[in-house]
């Protein structure tokens, strides 16, 4: 019987990891919107999620620099600009002059005052909501209304029985699961909103505990399973490794030597290494990865190095090719932008073992890629991959006889993982740390500038470039929308061309074709482009020693780890380098903390510690992108008591109540246990 293809909505649900009704039950709101009131336009503030009612007094379709729909809404207190980058004819009709409407969205600072981009539009005068409206984690193309209805259906049909025996639940003073879950999906209007937002309500305490318990139970299973798995034992102290070290024009730092000794030992074992190599930007992780690759190749296995962007993958190729080709090692390159003939040639070289070192992007995990004898997988900037992508590469192990041999795994990250996170969340991952920079590197000086001082910053950029240096101007993420980010980058590029007509200014963003992107980056490396306007596509992998100035537009919109990564693009030569964080007041408390941290320290480990205080561990572990985050609600820094209780119960529950432990894992980790291996 032919299977029915999933509907488009079902495909979007699956992208969020929502496959069965129980998945929907534990898909909880990110936040709640108060649609119980109308805001006055004159009282609006930047960053506020607001609902206003008024009359459309202007509506127009503009064609430069690209097609967009704009409108102005007016109430008794003031006017507000509205903007759509993508729109349909019926939206134009809806916005005819003189129409009374209600619009809702996030207020942001536009070039000509306050504005809302892509506001939600409804009829004015309709009844206001009587309770808080849950806003769920979603994906492009999936409307909140559809998600809310699916969750409501799941709550009606799912088994909400408790996985914790009554004596244990009461001893821990936790709410019943069914009560907690229904409360969080439909909070009553009288609830204290702060308790919901801060996850301090008893309902949140129950959900956070359940999540931590599931995580600890799954980690215990993963640990036991890994020690039963097989890997190629890759003998150490090879001639290839010694020859590679002789080629290097520098000596390894003590921290590099220590990290390498740990990795070298693990590679020689017959069970798979599962190690993270962490170190600040510029600490020399790539050299250690090369040594690991040399040890593996000398033991007649293949090595795959996967990077999240083509720019970063190309950097690895450029660094490693001269080292390894001098040693007679064949290298294959795989990326999405390759011509078909080149890609087919790489596939063949990988499959017949002609290529021992394979470097590329996510193209490495395509079905057509068949390794002859994959022994080591190296993943750079591992937190930028979804866990499913890392798992797909690690699963390309070799079947030998009656047993499966899995590749050793080395992940690299310039986003250091704080000790608390490593101990509590990565109990199945060994961590090597490079905690010193090579000699000769001077810290980047960071300056904060209010957006009102933009002209001063432009003058500063001009002076730096006239002195023979180069600069970056990075544009912000806007509500994590690539379309809006691109819009901002193009607007900024055109504005800077007018402000600095005598400079060669380039533009690079994720929508450019790979060849255009590569040509622009090469022009910047060579000095032909003096000022590069970019989106966060340059966050990692760009190494231009002559670039000494980084300007980050709307710095308050970036995460702390991302700001630190961007700052790391400068300071790579001998000259003193600077990073200017251009911010738009008023700043939220979290934004103030981020900018303060950037101003006060250049230490990546201190940055990471502060970052973890502000966010959960999802982005450190690369789970956020996949929609399968292993810790979505609990915070290991602030929920220490819950974590300790969960750790203890993870030991006791399988012994005393094995069925309850299995039921708990099914509810929270169904289909996700394997992700811990990645």
């Amino acid at each position: 019987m032919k299977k029915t293809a999933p509907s488009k909505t079902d495909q979007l649900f699956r992208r969020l990891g929502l496959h069965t009704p129980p998945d929907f039950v534990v898909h909880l709101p990110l936040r709640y919107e108060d649609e119980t009131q109308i805001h006055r336009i004159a009282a609006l503030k930047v960053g506020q999620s607001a609902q206003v009612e008024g009359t459309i007094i202007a509506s127009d379709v503009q064609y430069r620099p690209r097609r967009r729909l704009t409108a102005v809404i007016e109430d008794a207190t003031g006017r507000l600009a509205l903007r759509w980058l993508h729109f349909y004819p019926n939206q134009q009709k809806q916005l005819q002059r003189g129409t009374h409407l209600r619009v809702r969205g996030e207020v942001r600072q536009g070039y000509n005052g306050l504005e809302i981009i892509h506001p939600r539009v409804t009829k004015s005068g309709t009844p206001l909501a009587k309770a808080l409206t849950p806003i769920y984690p979603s994906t492009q193309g999936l409307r909140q209304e559809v998600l809310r209805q699916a969750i409501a259906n799941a709550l009606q049909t799912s088994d909400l029985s408790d996985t914790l025996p009554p004596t244990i639940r009461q001893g821990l003073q936790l709410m019943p699961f069914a009560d907690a879950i229904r409360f969080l999906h439909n909070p009553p209007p009288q609830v204290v909103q702060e308790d919901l937002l801060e996850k301090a309500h008893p309902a949140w305490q129950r959900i956070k505990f359940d999540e931590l318990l599931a995580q600890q139970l799954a980690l215990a299973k993963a640990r036991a399973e890994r020690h039963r798995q097989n890997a190629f034992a890759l003998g150490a102290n090879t001639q290839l490794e010694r020859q590679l070290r002789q080629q290097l024009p520098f000596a390894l730092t003590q921290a590099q030597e220590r990290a390498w000794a740990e990795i070298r030992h693990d590679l020689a074992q017959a069970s798979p290494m599962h190690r993270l190599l962490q170190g600040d930007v510029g600490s020399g992780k790539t050299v250690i990865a090369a040594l690991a690759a040399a040890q593996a190749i000398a033991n007649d296995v293949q090595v795959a190095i996967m990077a999240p962007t083509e720019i970063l993958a190309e950097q690895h190729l450029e660094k490693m090719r001269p080292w390894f080709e001098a040693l007679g090692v064949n290298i294959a390159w795989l990326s999405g932008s390759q011509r078909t003939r080149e890609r087919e040639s790489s596939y063949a070289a990988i499959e017949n073992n002609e290529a021992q070192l394979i470097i590329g992007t996510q193209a490495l995990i395509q079905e057509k890629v068949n390794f002859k004898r994959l022994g080591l997988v190296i993943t750079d900037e591992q937190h930028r991959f979804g866990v499913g992508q890392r798992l797909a590469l690690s699963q390309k192990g070799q079947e030998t006889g009656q047993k499966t041999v899995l590749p050793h795994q080395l992940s690299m990250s310039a986003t250091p993982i704080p000790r608390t996170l490593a101990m509590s969340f990565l109990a199945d991952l060994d961590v090597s740390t490079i905690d010193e920079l090579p000699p000769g590197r001077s810290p980047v000086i960071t300056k904060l500038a209010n957006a009102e001082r933009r002209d001063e910053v432009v003058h500063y950029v001009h002076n730096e470039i006239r002195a023979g240096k180069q600069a970056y101007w990075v544009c912000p993420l806007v509500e994590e929308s690539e379309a809006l980010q691109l819009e901002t980058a193009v607007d900024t590029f055109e504005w800077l061309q007018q402000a600095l007509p005598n400079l060669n200014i380039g533009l690079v963003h994720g929508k450019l074709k790979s060849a255009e992107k590569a040509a622009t980056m090469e022009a910047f490396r060579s000095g032909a482009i003096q000022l590069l306007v970019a989106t966060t596509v340059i966050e990692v992998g760009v190494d231009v020693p002559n670039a000494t100035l980084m300007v980050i537009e709307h710095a308050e919109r970036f995460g702390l780890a991302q700001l630190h990564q961007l700052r790391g693009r400068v300071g790579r030569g001998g000259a003193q380098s600077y990073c200017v964080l251009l911010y738009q007041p008023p700043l939220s408390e979290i934004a103030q903390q981020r900018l303060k941290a950037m101003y006060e320290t250049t230490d990546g480990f201190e940055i990471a510690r502060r970052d973890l205080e502000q966010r959960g561990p999802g982005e450190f572990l690369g789970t956020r992108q996949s929609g399968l985050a292993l810790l979505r609600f609990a915070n290991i820094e602030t929920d220490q008591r819950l974590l300790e209780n969960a750790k203890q119960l993870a030991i006791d529950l399988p012994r005393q109540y094995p069925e309850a432990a299995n039921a708990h894992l099914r509810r929270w980790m169904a289909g996700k246990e394997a992700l811990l291996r990645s």
Side-chain angles (χ1 to χ4, degrees), residues 324-349:
F324 281 97
E325 286 186 346
L327 302 176
V329 174
N330 291 327
I331 301 176
W333 164 254
L334 267 182
S335 77
S337 67
Q338 272 179 306
R339 292 176 182 171
T340 305
R341 186 181 297 177
E342 292 173 350
R343 197 178 300 130
E344 295 292 339
S345 174
S346 292
Y347 290 156

Side-chain angles (χ1 to χ4, degrees), residues 146-443:
V146 174
L147 199 46
R148 285 189 198 114
Q149 187 57 56
I151 289 168
N153 294 341
L155 288 169
Q156 292 290 328
T157 59
S158 296
D159 176 13
L160 301 183
S161 58
D162 222 300
T163 55
L164 297 184
T167 52
I168 289 178
R169 181 181 63 74
Q170 289 161 9
L172 293 169
Q173 298 182 315
L174 295 170
M175 273 180 81
F177 175 77
D179 293 351
I181 210 80
R182 287 197 177 101
F183 179 94
L184 292 174
H185 283 299
N186 298 291
Q190 67 270 22
V191 69
V192 179
Q193 282 199 51
E194 194 173 337
D195 285 350
L196 287 179
L197 293 174
E198 299 295 327
K199 293 186 172 64
H201 191 278
W204 269 124
Q205 295 298 303
R206 171 60 201 262
I207 296 307
K208 290 194 288 186
F209 178 81
D210 275 17
E211 183 181 48
L212 288 166
L213 176 61
Q215 170 230 354
Q216 292 298 316
L217 288 168
L219 279 172
K221 281 183 69 174
R223 273 194 301 275
E225 184 185 337
R226 182 158 72 93
H227 289 300
R228 291 193 296 267
Q229 292 169 343
N230 304 292
F232 296 110
L234 308 175
N237 300 311
T238 65
Q239 185 178 352
L240 199 65
E241 179 208 327
R242 288 193 294 273
Q243 289 174 331
L244 175 59
R245 291 186 73 135
Q246 287 166 7
Q247 280 193 61
L248 299 176
F250 50 82
L252 298 188
T253 63
Q254 286 186 344
Q256 285 175 308
E257 291 284 10
R258 184 178 63 245
W260 169 231
E262 293 165 351
I263 293 164
R264 182 175 58 207
H265 171 269
D266 283 4
L267 290 174
Q269 309 309 307
S271 58
M273 174 177 75
H274 196 193
R275 187 169 282 277
L276 172 70
L277 174 63
Q278 62 176 4
D280 214 340
V281 177
S283 61
K285 298 180 294 294
T286 306
V287 175
I288 305 303
L291 289 170
Q295 179 169 327
I297 292 165
N299 283 272
D300 196 29
V301 298
Q302 292 170 299
V303 177
I305 300 179
M306 184 167 75
T309 66
E310 201 154 318
I311 288 176
L312 182 52
E314 284 171 351
Q315 288 278 326
H316 283 305
L317 184 67
E318 288 173 15
K319 277 191 176 180
M320 293 198 179
R321 181 184 276 151
W323 291 344
F324 281 97
E325 286 186 346
L327 302 176
V329 174
N330 291 327
I331 301 176
W333 164 254
L334 267 182
S335 77
S337 67
Q338 272 179 306
R339 292 176 182 171
T340 305
R341 186 181 297 177
E342 292 173 350
R343 197 178 300 130
E344 295 292 339
S345 174
S346 292
Y347 290 156
I350 295 166
E351 191 162 2
N352 64 27
N353 208 21
E354 278 180 27
Q356 294 92 43
L357 178 60
I358 301 93
I359 300 174
T361 59
Q362 292 94 322
L364 288 173
I365 62 177
Q366 292 173 346
E367 283 186 22
K368 291 184 179 179
V369 181
N370 296 303
F371 293 90
K372 179 74 173 175
R373 190 176 158 86
L374 181 61
L376 172 62
V377 167
I378 300 173
T379 314
D380 198 7
E381 290 304 321
Q382 55 91 29
H383 65 289
R384 287 167 62 95
F385 287 108
V387 281
Q389 293 171 314
R390 301 203 300 272
L391 181 63
L393 186 54
S394 74
Q395 285 176 330
K396 289 180 177 285
Q398 170 70 35
E399 294 281 346
T400 53
Q402 299 300 310
K403 64 182 183 180
T404 301
V405 180
L406 291 170
H408 295 281
Q409 289 185 65
L410 177 64
S411 298
M412 297 194 293
S413 178
T415 305
I417 293 179
R419 183 172 171 272
T420 313
L421 179 57
M423 288 175 63
S424 304
F425 198 85
L426 301 175
D428 189 41
L429 183 67
D430 299 309
V431 180
S432 293
T433 301
I434 303 176
D435 52 9
E436 63 179 309
L437 292 177
R441 286 279 175 92
S442 57

Side-chain angles (χ1 to χ4, degrees), residues 320-626:
M320 293 198 179
R321 181 184 276 151
W323 291 344
F324 281 97
E325 286 186 346
L327 302 176
V329 174
N330 291 327
I331 301 176
W333 164 254
L334 267 182
S335 77
S337 67
Q338 272 179 306
R339 292 176 182 171
T340 305
R341 186 181 297 177
E342 292 173 350
R343 197 178 300 130
E344 295 292 339
S345 174
S346 292
Y347 290 156
I350 295 166
E351 191 162 2
N352 64 27
N353 208 21
E354 278 180 27
Q356 294 92 43
L357 178 60
I358 301 93
I359 300 174
T361 59
Q362 292 94 322
L364 288 173
I365 62 177
Q366 292 173 346
E367 283 186 22
K368 291 184 179 179
V369 181
N370 296 303
F371 293 90
K372 179 74 173 175
R373 190 176 158 86
L374 181 61
L376 172 62
V377 167
I378 300 173
T379 314
D380 198 7
E381 290 304 321
Q382 55 91 29
H383 65 289
R384 287 167 62 95
F385 287 108
V387 281
Q389 293 171 314
R390 301 203 300 272
L391 181 63
L393 186 54
S394 74
Q395 285 176 330
K396 289 180 177 285
Q398 170 70 35
E399 294 281 346
T400 53
Q402 299 300 310
K403 64 182 183 180
T404 301
V405 180
L406 291 170
H408 295 281
Q409 289 185 65
L410 177 64
S411 298
M412 297 194 293
S413 178
T415 305
I417 293 179
R419 183 172 171 272
T420 313
L421 179 57
M423 288 175 63
S424 304
F425 198 85
L426 301 175
D428 189 41
L429 183 67
D430 299 309
V431 180
S432 293
T433 301
I434 303 176
D435 52 9
E436 63 179 309
L437 292 177
R441 286 279 175 92
S442 57
V444 177
I445 294 174
T446 302
K447 301 186 176 187
L448 306 181
N450 188 311
E452 293 175 356
R453 297 173 58 196
R454 188 183 306 272
D455 290 344
E456 290 178 47
V457 174
V458 171
H459 183 66
Y460 185 44
V461 169
H462 189 247
N463 287 345
E464 193 74 0
I465 291 173
R466 283 186 63 188
K469 303 301 179 185
Q470 290 166 272
Y472 299 95
W473 193 295
V474 177
C475 295
L477 286 163
V478 181
E479 298 170 348
E480 296 191 355
S481 162
E482 193 172 6
L484 296 178
Q485 186 183 13
L486 175 59
E487 169 86 6
T488 307
V490 174
D491 286 351
T492 304
F493 172 66
E494 292 172 349
W495 173 73
L496 283 169
Q497 280 187 316
Q498 293 175 0
L500 299 167
N502 59 333
L503 296 187
N504 291 328
I505 304 175
L507 173 65
V508 64
H509 53 74
K511 289 286 187 183
L512 285 180
K513 291 181 179 175
S514 294
E516 293 177 76
K517 204 185 300 178
T520 303
M521 292 309 305
E522 186 49 46
F524 187 58
R525 282 192 197 98
S526 69
I529 288 175
Q530 298 160 299
L531 173 59
L532 183 66
V533 178
T535 59
T536 50
V537 71
I538 59 98
E539 180 183 344
V540 292
V542 180
D543 191 353
V544 181
N546 191 49
T548 59
L549 177 59
M550 165 70 67
V551 178
I552 303 177
E553 179 101 39
H554 275 292
E556 75 279 1
R557 288 186 174 269
F558 292 94
L560 191 47
Q562 199 169 37
L563 288 171
H564 184 60
Q565 283 277 11
L566 287 166
R567 178 168 61 183
R569 294 308 101 209
V570 295
R572 306 177 83 82
Q576 178 63 60
S577 294
Y578 301 88
C579 177
V580 178
L581 303 178
L582 204 56
Y583 65 87
Q584 176 73 55
L587 295 175
S588 68
E589 188 176 341
I590 286 181
Q592 288 179 41
Q593 290 171 3
R594 285 180 191 150
L595 299 186
K596 183 171 183 280
M598 287 292 292
Y599 180 74
E600 289 179 346
T601 181
T602 57
D603 181 347
F605 291 89
E606 175 61 16
I607 291 281
R609 188 191 66 75
R610 297 195 195 187
D611 198 17
L612 188 60
E613 289 177 356
Q614 297 174 21
R615 301 185 290 155
E619 289 184 43
F620 282 103
L621 305 178
T623 54
R624 183 167 163 269
Q625 295 170 350
S626 67

